[in-house]
Amino acid sequence: MPKAKASSSKNLVIVESPAKAKTIRKYLGSDFDVLASYGHVRDLLAKEGAVEPDNHFLMHYQAVEKNQKHIAAIIAAMKKADTLYLATDPDREGEAISWHVRELLNEKKTLKNKNVFRIVFHEITKSAVQAAIDKPRDISMSLVNAQQARRALDFLVGFNLSPLLWRKIRRGLSAGRVQSPALRMIVEREEEIEKIRFTGILGYGGRGYRQRAAFYGKTDPVQG
């Protein structure tokens, strides 16, 4: 992969938080525009069928409504830029956000003949940010797929179980990929415990010494 070079043309950097964007903008100078995605820019459709298990787990996304203003700003800035640096957080959620930003911009046809790079840094310092700019990489689809698998499980489990909790307990509760199997394990363990029936306690015997004289003692079994 060719090394990315900052040029006199406009470069667009996408991070997740506006505070981080403000700081990084000071480090990079006027050749760079730095915008925040404010978290995820796309999410699964909020309806049945958003994940298709029988179709290779095909997932259907839509833009996050509350972030429409920030998405519009990113699209407008990309139209003026020649290079895109995706600098979201260095974890699977951040990787997925970068992928979603790229996919969204592709849908808007703003990336034609433009460079797209993924950069990561683990501290907000000028040297760390510049080092990331100098050593970009591609988006890791392994991390993206890991995040999508987690999100698909959240949806497939929660979409069916959460309404049940709303009816039986109260609205607002969620049943996710962690709570549901954990609850099942607890219930199954409790059922196993309830099957235990105590039929008796074995007697014990042993040899001891008192004032140099040996003696033998034992207890009789106690029926439960």
Side-chain angles (χ1 to χ4, degrees), residues 42-68:
R42 296 198 309 174
D43 198 5
L44 290 171
L45 293 172
K47 64 179 182 179
E48 190 172 359
V51 179
E52 299 184 47
D54 296 329
N55 189 16
H56 303 287
F57 286 88
L58 180 65
M59 302 170 75
H60 301 279
Y61 291 101
Q62 65 181 357
V64 175
E65 186 175 353
K66 68 177 182 179
N67 283 344
Q68 288 287 2

Side-chain angles (χ1 to χ4, degrees), residues 12-202:
L12 177 61
V13 180
I14 303 298
V15 296
E16 291 185 39
S17 77
K20 190 181 292 185
K22 184 177 180 180
T23 301
I24 293 174
R25 191 178 296 114
K26 295 177 183 177
Y27 294 156
L28 294 177
S30 59
D31 286 344
F32 290 81
D33 190 8
V34 186
L35 296 178
S37 69
Y38 289 76
H40 283 275
V41 295
R42 296 198 309 174
D43 198 5
L44 290 171
L45 293 172
K47 64 179 182 179
E48 190 172 359
V51 179
E52 299 184 47
D54 296 329
N55 189 16
H56 303 287
F57 286 88
L58 180 65
M59 302 170 75
H60 301 279
Y61 291 101
Q62 65 181 357
V64 175
E65 186 175 353
K66 68 177 182 179
N67 283 344
Q68 288 287 2
K69 179 176 69 173
H70 311 304
I71 293 170
I74 291 172
I75 293 171
M78 193 65 235
K79 290 178 179 179
K80 303 175 183 178
D82 292 331
T83 301
L84 173 65
Y85 292 94
L86 298 163
T88 48
D89 292 351
D91 55 18
R92 66 183 181 187
E93 290 294 323
E95 204 75 18
I97 291 172
S98 283
W99 178 76
H100 281 297
V101 169
R102 188 186 68 182
E103 292 298 294
L104 189 150
L105 291 174
N106 268 326
E107 290 176 1
K108 300 299 181 180
K109 305 186 185 303
T110 60
L111 294 181
K112 186 177 181 179
N113 299 324
K114 298 184 179 183
N115 296 314
V116 179
F117 300 110
R118 172 75 167 117
I119 61 172
V120 295
F121 40 82
H122 299 275
E123 59 183 48
I124 311 302
T125 62
K126 185 174 183 178
S127 59
V129 173
Q130 189 58 58
I133 292 287
D134 291 339
K135 294 181 178 180
R137 61 170 173 81
D138 293 324
I139 290 175
S140 170
M141 288 310 299
S142 294
L143 287 175
V144 173
N145 290 336
Q147 191 276 340
Q148 288 196 99
R150 181 197 65 77
R151 187 68 188 91
L153 282 173
D154 275 343
F155 181 85
L156 293 172
V157 174
F159 192 87
N160 292 312
L161 289 183
S162 293
L164 177 63
L165 293 181
W166 300 344
R167 293 194 302 270
K168 298 297 184 180
I169 304 177
R170 64 177 173 83
R171 293 194 65 82
L173 296 177
S174 63
R177 70 192 188 284
V178 175
Q179 301 98 318
S180 301
L183 178 60
R184 177 172 178 172
M185 291 171 66
I186 292 171
V187 170
E188 289 179 347
R189 182 58 178 160
E190 283 297 315
E191 290 175 344
E192 290 298 319
I193 292 173
E194 290 178 359
K195 292 177 182 178
I196 297 174
R197 293 293 180 266
F198 292 100
T199 59
I201 300 176
L202 294 176

